[in-house]
Amino acid sequence: MTTVSLRVGRALLLSSAAALAMQAAAFAQTAEPQAAPQDEESSVDEVVVTGIRATQRNSIAVKRETATIVDAIVNDEIGSLPDNSVGDTLERITGVTADRFKGNANELSVRGLGPTLSFSTFNGREVSTAGPDRSVAFQQFPSELVNGVLVYKSQQADFVDGGIAGVIDLRSIRPLEATPRLQAEYRAVYQPKDDAIRGRDGLGYRANISWTNRWLDTAIGDLGLSIGYQHQDQAVPEDYYTTNSAFIPCDTSANNPNLITGASAQQTAAGTSFNCALRPTLSAANQAGTTQGPLYFGTTSRTFRQISTSEERDGLLGAIQWRPTDRLDFTLDAQYSNRSSLENRNQLAITEAARGITPTLIGNGSNGYSEGALISYTGNSNLEVQFEDRLREEEYIGGGLFGRWQGERLRVTGDLSYSQSHRTELQKATNMRSARRVVYSLDGTNDVVPSVNFVGFDVTDPSNFLIATPASNTNYARYRLVTDREDAIAAARVDAVYDLNEDGFFRSIGFGARVSEHTRETDLNNNGDVAIPIARDGLTAAQLTARANAECRVPFATDQFMRGSATNISSWAQFDNDCLFRAYTGRDTNPLLADSRGPEDIDVTETISALYAMTTFGTDWGNIPVSGNIGLRYVSTEVEARGFRSAVTVTPSVAGSAATIVVVPGTLSQITGEGDYDYWLPSANLNLDLSDRMRLRFGVSRSIARVGIEEFNVGINPIVDATATTVAGVLANSQTGNPNLKPLEAWNFDSSLEFYLNEDTSFSIAPYYKLVKGAAFDAVQPFTTSIIANGQEVTFNAVAPANDTEQRHLYGVELSGSHVFTYLPGLWSGLGVSAGYNYAEADFEFPDPSTVAPYVDPANLRGLSRHSANASLFWEGAGLQLRAAWRYRSDYSKPNSSTNRGVQGAGYLNLSASYRVNRHVQFKAQALNVLNERDVLYKAGEDSITEVSESTPQIYAGFVLRY
């Protein structure tokens, strides 16, 4: 990381880009209603509009004046955006939707097109992320410390490259262009689900303080300072129902699902001793224990999970602005975020959920359930109670130096920026297993969270979870640093704009250059696991397990598990995780690996260089003023990836025997891979002022969206094809990354017809069409690579990501509008509304990479929602503000763990209110997710449920002090 900083530091550029500077100026002008000084007499009758209405006016002004198609939420009062995170704020912009994480908006999609097709910036700069891809976790930016968000939906040449769906830009305050103030806010939060947890009271808080000031006409020029700090301490409780990461196709039905005792041959004949499968693939003995029926999708585990959480977050934003002369301006800004989140997981797991299945209801597409969905069945399994403490710590540091020099006609700007994100995730886990397999019946006809009846087994009795003779992983103590990820982006850019003759067709010409270096280092699976209790102090593993079962029992954590669902599972036997861990190991932690390197680790450097030229123009076509810009951006990208592989011993299949791969200890070595690509990205925007109230826009551009940086990993993870008869064939299931992956590229055709009836009223219709190529498939064969096998280098075809060679089509239309009913009498004049709707359609096809692929339709583009909508109804007057905000997105794809996965559509309603007592004191209240909407995920059809998360409404109340 030091090398990155030094490289950028040596560049010694002055500051940001020309168009960014112009847009920042427009932003500042609209965001600061008092920017233009007036004498006392002329301002006596001025009506000052504040609050929701002021935000709406500012946002309309930004949308109207910007050269591209844009939507915005702008407020000059730092801390005025009434949302918990910037993600929540952005969801109030038409066409912007979020994926949910811990009940809050997280990864953002523009026009329903998924987070990978959008590009996010902070003050015009690319920012790092601690997630596995490039999607920015907007939760790390508290809305109290951000005063504007803009979403550009068409491109121009001076934008940082990387967005097809749009560019999301967050703006912090510029102190010389803001109203001086000191502000403090405190909000208490109450969450009913947390209150129901043993030892908790459901309470938490958020607090922030910010100060903005400016000193004009000093000996060294104008100075401005803004700084804001926020602290959050609250729980994020959730209840879950989950399955394992993949479903399997089956058509078997066990002959006698209740027979789980007796000789092995008897259980085989009953069909209860093995997993469901496609019957022709079973052995003759197993076929005899089953009958063949309709196809269904089984899963190898089903889990009910209760989570107690605590989360602390600190956020700090600040800026210093210095204007030594009217021609020269510098701004130094910085951001810091630190989040520590602890989950205490308490689970009841059906660990062999595919064993001995006898279906009783299978979806067929016409009986109310999707084809192959296993809605109810009888099976048998060992049961486990599992406990895990999962600590995630995440830190973000970012900032930069922006400078601008303004001559008579020439403007030169430059920018140096750096951001770094670091995430670690530490897991500590134990379990207790049932002494025998248990017959159970599962029924999902009443709810997506099924009911389960266990035959002759009480899951709430701790003594039922005691094995007489522990074996490997029947009683484990796992200690894992599962993630240690560091991401850093350093960038420098310089731009120049020269204003031409105002009477000519071309109004300005600009040039610019940018260079950035993006590094990603990820250490995965540093595991220190104990698979069976460690015999010590004269006690055997069995004796230690028995003692732990007796001494580590605790009451069930909550009396409201899955209260929003119809399941009958409300509690189970619970043990203290720390107590079990000490009983199994004699210590509080396990030692991690001294050398945790492995093929899953990632070390990638991506270097990007860009040049652009752009001209703006303006003229009149008859009585129609016309303006716009046209430009060309050149982008060159180089990728260097480093990974690991070990030598292996491969034994091919002979006469039907199973082939094997054995890793040779002590042979780990580093390998490297390289990739590069270049793109020319033209763009043009045309704006026609059809009247004082109507503007027509057109935009055409070529843009790219880069694939996840971790896809470039070149480490080789050997996976056996047990039926292959050659060395290369045995290795063919092995997985790796692809440093030669290219970004998605698209030709974008955008238009927007916008009506501005007055400063409080606007509406628009914006059709768009995109030709997209190069989408990345997660797992594709073949990818040619090599490994040391049986003492020599062997070239083989592995599984790796690959680009789609087909031309895909994506189109949609976006409707948006806002209005304040100022013409209504009395109190009704404070009523206002804003709303938006986006429809998107595409023809992408991502086959499921798991074994269900032949039986299910391919997934569409990741994150693509066909329908998304948002609406806000507000009223304000006499210091009181009321707002109801609703947002909805329809089903979308969210793949994980080498399988396709979908998210069911859902709508969320938030309410907020505030009352301004006087210019110094304001009271606030909020209720988030008041309908207690659940998040539901599925695989292999919308009724093959893989995850249901139930959070809780969040109720906030507090006050703001301003001076």
Side-chain angles (χ1 to χ4, degrees), residues 701-960:
S701 63
R702 189 187 187 204
S703 59
I704 59 174
R706 293 183 173 85
V707 300
I709 193 169
E710 295 196 355
E711 301 277 18
F712 297 141
N713 178 39
V714 293
I716 300 173
N717 181 26
I719 298 176
V720 66
D721 181 344
T723 63
T725 58
T726 65
V727 171
V730 174
L731 292 165
N733 288 337
S734 300
Q735 296 180 344
T736 186
N738 183 359
N740 289 302
L741 276 178
K742 302 300 186 289
L744 281 80
E745 55 179 289
W747 279 99
N748 311 290
F749 303 91
D750 297 283
S751 60
S752 179
L753 180 60
E754 301 164 4
F755 300 86
Y756 301 94
L757 304 186
N758 56 53
E759 58 188 348
D760 292 313
T761 304
S762 72
F763 61 93
S764 65
I765 177 171
Y768 54 91
Y769 176 69
K770 300 175 186 291
L771 292 172
V772 186
K773 191 174 182 179
F777 292 97
D778 286 337
V780 177
Q781 265 191 320
F783 178 82
T784 303
T785 187
S786 64
I787 197 170
I788 305 299
N790 300 338
Q792 60 184 7
E793 187 170 19
V794 174
T795 299
F796 67 101
N797 291 327
V799 177
N803 289 111
D804 182 10
T805 58
E806 296 294 325
Q807 183 82 62
R808 305 293 180 178
H809 304 266
L810 191 155
Y811 59 89
V813 62
E814 192 174 74
L815 308 174
S816 63
S818 59
H819 179 60
V820 180
F821 298 88
T822 54
Y823 48 85
L824 294 179
L827 294 176
W828 292 106
S829 63
L831 187 66
V833 64
S834 63
Y837 167 76
N838 181 76
Y839 172 81
E841 190 63 82
D843 62 354
F844 289 78
E845 294 185 355
F846 292 88
D848 195 298
S850 72
T851 55
V852 303
Y855 312 100
V856 298
D857 293 331
N860 211 321
L861 184 66
R862 178 191 174 191
L864 176 71
S865 290
R866 179 172 292 178
H867 307 281
S868 61
N870 66 283
S872 291
L873 179 67
F874 67 86
W875 180 90
E876 62 180 337
L880 180 64
Q881 299 179 10
L882 304 174
R883 186 180 69 130
W886 174 80
R887 51 232 191 195
Y888 169 83
R889 70 181 301 186
S890 60
D891 289 25
Y892 60 96
S893 173
K894 185 182 179 181
N896 84 316
S897 299
S898 299
T899 183
N900 289 343
R901 179 178 61 172
V903 181
Q904 288 188 4
Y908 298 86
L909 177 65
N910 297 337
L911 305 176
S912 64
S914 67
Y915 177 67
R916 189 182 294 270
V917 179
N918 52 46
R919 60 188 297 236
H920 300 302
V921 181
Q922 182 181 29
F923 292 100
K924 285 184 174 183
Q926 287 176 285
L928 306 183
N929 191 18
V930 296
L931 302 179
N932 199 23
E933 187 74 35
R934 298 177 298 178
D935 298 322
V936 181
L937 287 70
Y938 58 87
K939 298 176 181 177
E942 62 183 12
D943 294 307
S944 292
I945 305 300
T946 187
E947 180 178 295
V948 181
S949 63
E950 181 182 299
S951 55
T952 182
Q954 301 176 40
I955 302 169
Y956 291 86
F959 59 88
V960 181

Side-chain angles (χ1 to χ4, degrees), residues 1 56 65 110 128 138 204 295 301 495 528 617 658 815:
M1 302 305 169
Q56 188 154 302
E65 298 303 324
V110 177
S128 61
F138 286 95
L295 178 77
S301 69
D495 303 75
F617 59 84
L815 308 174

Side-chain angles (χ1 to χ4, degrees), residues 446-712:
N446 293 323
D447 193 36
V448 290
V449 183
S451 295
V452 187
N453 293 312
F454 300 99
V455 179
F457 191 92
D458 182 1
V459 296
T460 66
D461 185 354
S463 63
N464 284 334
F465 294 91
L466 179 58
I467 289 181
T469 306
S472 179
N473 287 314
T474 63
N475 300 87
Y476 54 72
R478 296 172 179 166
Y479 193 74
R480 301 175 172 180
L481 182 62
V482 294
T483 302
D484 186 353
R485 176 182 291 115
E486 190 162 2
D487 188 72
I489 300 175
R493 64 180 294 174
V494 63
D495 303 75
V497 177
Y498 185 78
D499 292 330
L500 303 172
N501 192 326
E502 293 183 358
D503 297 328
F505 177 77
F506 293 105
R507 302 297 172 83
S508 70
I509 185 168
F511 303 92
R514 177 180 182 269
V515 61
S516 70
E517 187 171 272
H518 186 177
T519 58
R520 170 67 63 89
E521 297 178 6
T522 305
D523 181 6
L524 299 172
N525 298 337
N526 187 347
N527 300 338
D529 294 348
V530 171
I532 190 171
I534 302 171
R536 64 186 188 282
D537 301 330
L539 298 177
T540 64
Q543 291 171 324
L544 290 169
T545 301
R547 187 168 73 175
N549 185 282
E551 296 179 353
C552 298
R553 300 177 183 182
V554 294
F556 192 70
T558 180
D559 59 5
Q560 291 191 12
F561 178 74
M562 282 288 183
R563 280 295 179 88
S565 304
T567 181
N568 66 328
I569 302 297
S570 59
S571 66
W572 51 87
Q574 185 170 344
F575 299 84
D576 181 83
N577 188 39
D578 289 335
C579 179
L580 288 182
F581 201 97
R582 286 191 297 270
Y584 291 169
T585 66
R587 53 189 180 233
D588 292 325
T589 64
N590 287 334
L592 295 172
L593 299 174
D595 183 358
S596 62
R597 295 175 301 168
E600 69 281 349
D601 292 344
I602 294 155
D603 185 356
V604 175
T605 299
E606 179 184 67
T607 303
I608 301 171
S609 303
L611 300 170
Y612 79 88
M614 187 177 80
T615 183
T616 62
F617 59 84
T619 188
D620 290 333
W621 290 352
N623 295 324
I624 300 177
V626 177
S627 62
N629 58 60
I630 185 169
L632 178 65
R633 188 177 188 88
Y634 170 74
V635 183
S636 176
T637 305
E638 296 180 354
V639 174
E640 182 181 0
R642 293 159 292 278
F644 297 98
R645 67 178 180 185
S646 293
V648 294
T649 300
V650 177
T651 304
S653 173
V654 177
S657 64
T660 61
I661 299 176
V662 178
V663 174
V664 180
T667 61
L668 190 71
S669 61
Q670 188 176 72
I671 55 177
T672 61
E674 295 180 348
D676 61 80
Y677 53 84
D678 302 275
Y679 283 92
W680 293 92
L681 306 176
S683 62
N685 291 280
L686 177 66
N687 303 308
L688 295 85
D689 292 325
L690 303 181
S691 71
D692 291 340
R693 297 184 175 184
M694 183 165 49
R695 170 168 281 197
L696 178 63
R697 302 180 191 266
F698 296 98
V700 59
S701 63
R702 189 187 187 204
S703 59
I704 59 174
R706 293 183 173 85
V707 300
I709 193 169
E710 295 196 355
E711 301 277 18
F712 297 141

Side-chain angles (χ1 to χ4, degrees), residues 263-397:
S264 175
Q266 292 176 306
Q267 295 184 49
T268 298
T272 58
S273 62
F274 50 90
N275 287 343
C276 70
L278 297 176
R279 192 165 180 268
T281 66
L282 295 175
S283 66
N286 289 348
Q287 285 188 29
T290 62
T291 57
Q292 189 167 351
L295 178 77
Y296 63 90
F297 303 119
T299 180
T300 57
S301 69
R302 297 178 184 268
T303 301
F304 296 87
R305 178 190 303 155
Q306 181 269 329
I307 303 180
S308 305
T309 70
S310 60
E311 180 172 314
E312 290 191 38
R313 182 176 67 184
D314 293 281
L316 182 66
L317 274 72
I320 300 173
Q321 189 173 3
W322 176 39
R323 188 179 295 149
T325 71
D326 291 340
R327 293 180 179 271
L328 193 59
D329 188 4
F330 296 98
T331 301
L332 177 68
D333 64 90
Q335 310 87 42
Y336 174 80
S337 173
N338 184 280
R339 183 173 65 179
S340 178
S341 175
L342 176 64
E343 291 185 358
N344 305 117
R345 297 186 173 191
N346 166 29
Q347 302 185 157
L348 171 66
I350 302 171
T351 59
E352 301 159 291
R355 180 191 288 269
I357 287 181
T358 300
T360 53
L361 178 60
I362 299 172
N364 60 19
S366 60
N367 61 356
Y369 301 101
S370 59
E371 292 187 14
L374 183 59
I375 304 302
S376 60
Y377 71 94
T378 298
N380 74 89
S381 173
N382 278 289
L383 305 179
E384 288 188 9
V385 285
Q386 303 167 341
F387 313 99
E388 180 180 336
D389 297 332
R390 181 175 294 209
L391 177 63
R392 174 183 287 185
E393 295 185 309
E394 190 166 307
E395 182 180 60
Y396 170 84
I397 301 172

